[in-house]
Amino acid sequence: MITLDALHKSFGANHVLRGVSLSVERGEVVCIIGPSGSGKSTLLRCINYLEQPEEGRITIDGQNAYRDVVNGKIKNYPMKQIAATREKIGMVFQQFNLFPHLTALQNIVEAPIRVKHVKKSVAEQQARSLLAQVGLAEKATQYPEELSGGQQQRVAIARALAMDPEVMLFDEATSALDPELVGEVLEIMRQLAEQGMTMVVVTHEMGFARQVADRVIFMDHGVIVEEGTPQQIFGSPREERTQNFLRLVHATE
């Protein structure tokens, strides 16, 4: 479903991604773990074109995404083609980024109506179904400030799902939540995984990665240090850097 080939991304002198290559199969759940500043979030943002790598190739659903290399030069695709690719990818951020002046229902219908030109009545019916899916059927008319952090994040997940994506990206989706609210968001993510959604999840929730991931990737300093099944990564990591990271994580849990 997703193939990344030798991605490089820098911000000034900071070389954040250093030749990262990765593939994600359709229906697979891949969790990316690692210390802050290791390039995890930047990797996600390159997948959905929020950031553009200086080098490397991204393939989505078997097709080159966003650009090609012609005679050694990068040539960006037309914005309409880029937008069509991005519609396949839903993303949930650390911050909920809901429109404060719109209700939960209105936040969810905004993109389908404006981007996909779905009829308002159809979009609202779908939105109510999605709110029910994330356990918020009764919150349709409430504004973000009237919702808890966990409820806002669940609305954000429903909003991403409203575009009917083929892939969902989660960038530390629980890191801004109070500890008692984390579980309700992780449960929705578990349900999506069980339904066969292709997911790439940057997370510090090691228990979630252990239970839900098909594959776990450990990143540090802009490279993939190690990848494998949850049993292999958490049970018998090969690389000393992975071992040290997990030892520190376990010590603080």
Side-chain angles (χ1 to χ4, degrees):
M1 186 64 205
I2 302 171
T3 302
L4 311 179
D5 183 20
L7 291 193
H8 286 263
K9 175 64 182 176
S10 296
F11 296 99
N14 186 13
H15 196 173
V16 179
L17 296 179
R18 301 168 179 263
V20 175
S21 296
L22 168 68
S23 64
V24 180
E25 299 299 323
R26 186 179 296 275
E28 188 178 22
V29 178
V30 174
C31 285
I32 305 176
I33 63 173
S36 297
S38 57
K40 307 183 301 296
S41 294
T42 299
L43 186 67
L44 284 196
R45 292 172 68 85
C46 286
I47 292 174
N48 76 342
Y49 203 67
L50 289 175
E51 301 289 353
Q52 298 179 47
E54 289 85 25
E55 297 178 37
R57 187 185 302 271
I58 300 172
T59 303
I60 306 289
D61 200 15
Q63 302 294 321
N64 278 345
Y66 313 130
R67 64 189 191 178
D68 205 349
V69 178
V70 180
N71 296 325
K73 295 184 178 181
I74 294 174
K75 179 181 179 182
N76 290 330
Y77 291 148
M79 286 307 300
K80 186 174 182 179
Q81 185 175 347
I82 290 171
T85 300
R86 295 188 72 202
E87 282 185 25
K88 299 179 180 182
I89 304 168
M91 186 160 181
V92 179
F93 300 86
Q94 297 179 33
Q95 302 299 326
F96 322 125
N97 297 327
L98 299 178
F99 295 114
H101 63 291
L102 300 180
T103 65
L105 185 76
Q106 290 168 337
N107 264 282
I108 295 170
V109 303
E110 185 79 1
I113 291 173
R114 291 182 178 271
V115 178
K116 301 186 81 171
H117 308 296
V118 176
K119 288 184 179 180
K120 183 178 179 181
S121 59
V122 175
E124 288 185 350
Q125 182 179 6
Q126 181 194 32
R128 291 185 187 279
S129 176
L130 288 169
L131 281 170
Q133 181 179 336
V134 299
L136 295 174
E138 75 287 357
K139 303 293 186 181
T141 60
Q142 293 195 270
Y143 290 87
E145 66 178 11
E146 300 173 300
L147 302 174
S148 71
Q151 289 170 339
Q152 290 185 59
Q153 192 62 295
R154 284 187 278 159
V155 172
I157 292 172
R159 179 178 60 181
L161 292 173
M163 293 295 287
D164 196 25
E166 297 181 33
V167 178
M168 284 286 286
L169 310 178
F170 293 87
D171 186 10
E172 297 280 16
T174 61
S175 65
L177 301 177
D178 292 334
E180 66 268 21
L181 301 177
V182 168
E184 62 189 58
V185 174
L186 292 180
E187 179 56 32
I188 299 302
M189 294 168 65
R190 284 190 185 93
Q191 292 173 12
L192 289 175
E194 290 170 359
Q195 293 165 12
M197 174 64 74
T198 307
M199 295 166 58
V200 184
V201 183
V202 169
T203 185
H204 62 272
E205 299 289 344
M206 300 300 150
F208 175 85
R210 186 191 298 268
Q211 296 167 14
V212 179
D214 296 301
R215 191 153 40 102
V216 176
I217 290 170
F218 174 66
M219 285 187 67
D220 193 24
H221 290 99
V223 300
I224 294 175
V225 176
E226 186 169 358
E227 63 178 293
T229 65
Q231 293 79 10
Q232 187 256 305
I233 295 296
F234 293 110
S236 54
R238 296 184 301 270
E239 300 295 329
E240 183 178 2
R241 182 66 187 94
T242 313
Q243 296 167 10
N244 291 338
F245 172 79
L246 291 173
R247 190 178 300 117
L248 288 172
V249 168
H250 295 326
T252 58
E253 287 180 342

